[in-house]
Amino acid sequence: AQIIVEESNRLNEKVTEFLDFARPRVPNLRPCDLEATLNRSLELLQPEIDRLGIQVSREYQLNGRPLVVDQDLLHQAFLNIFLNAIQAMPKGGHLTVSTLPGPNGQGGEIRFQDDGEGIEPEMLKKILNPFFTTKELGKGTGLGLAIVRAVAESHGGTAEAAASESGGALLRVRLPLLPGPSDSKKRITPALDRL
């Protein structure tokens, strides 16, 4: 019975990932504290972070300044990023989460840097593509980071991966300054049409 429950949960996670990717939503934009959303995502994963002995540093520079975003979509994207970072550090390590104002103080940038296994240079261009995974067969769908990119683009922003100076990986999510909820849907819908 335990095996059936575990396999049912695993399959449910896979189906949910496919559905999230196949049916992107138009963001429901509202003013949001990105740093509070990051903290919420980290709190959800705290038991696994503690179990693996991962140290988390928060370097927040937005100081609670709200951005107009879809908090639920970003929470999902942040969870995907954190899960990838945690899985890259099975023997512990260090994860740094930073927020920065965008150019001229407009919008914002979130950086996720770990000192895990890192990403091979030839894979950096593919890591955000749908169905691309470096995990063992059956252990990943290759949709987690593709969903991150789709969420960033649905906000008119970008997501990109790079090698970290610490030897691990660095993922940047840049979000532009978006207008308020009443007139924002026209601007961001085209980003979803490309998916």
Side-chain angles (χ1 to χ4, degrees), residues 101-123:
N104 302 317
Q106 304 294 305
E109 179 177 323
I110 310 102
R111 294 180 184 173
F112 306 83
Q113 185 170 342
D114 66 60
D115 58 4
E117 302 164 355
I119 305 168
E120 295 294 327
E122 64 272 11
M123 294 183 181

Side-chain angles (χ1 to χ4, degrees), residues 1-10:
Q2 183 64 30
I3 292 171
I4 291 171
V5 169
E6 288 173 2
E7 285 302 299
S8 296
N9 288 336
R10 186 181 67 81

Side-chain angles (χ1 to χ4, degrees), residues 29-45:
L29 299 176
R30 294 186 178 150
C32 164
D33 181 344
L34 282 183
E35 294 160 350
T37 305
L38 286 162
N39 287 336
R40 180 175 145 223
S41 301
L42 283 168
E43 285 169 17
L44 193 61
L45 298 171

Side-chain angles (χ1 to χ4, degrees), residues 6-25:
E6 288 173 2
E7 285 302 299
S8 296
N9 288 336
R10 186 181 67 81
L11 291 172
N12 183 51
E13 288 174 12
K14 303 287 185 204
V15 170
T16 301
E17 275 192 330
F18 280 111
L19 291 175
D20 286 341
F21 184 74
R23 295 184 308 201
R25 298 181 350 214

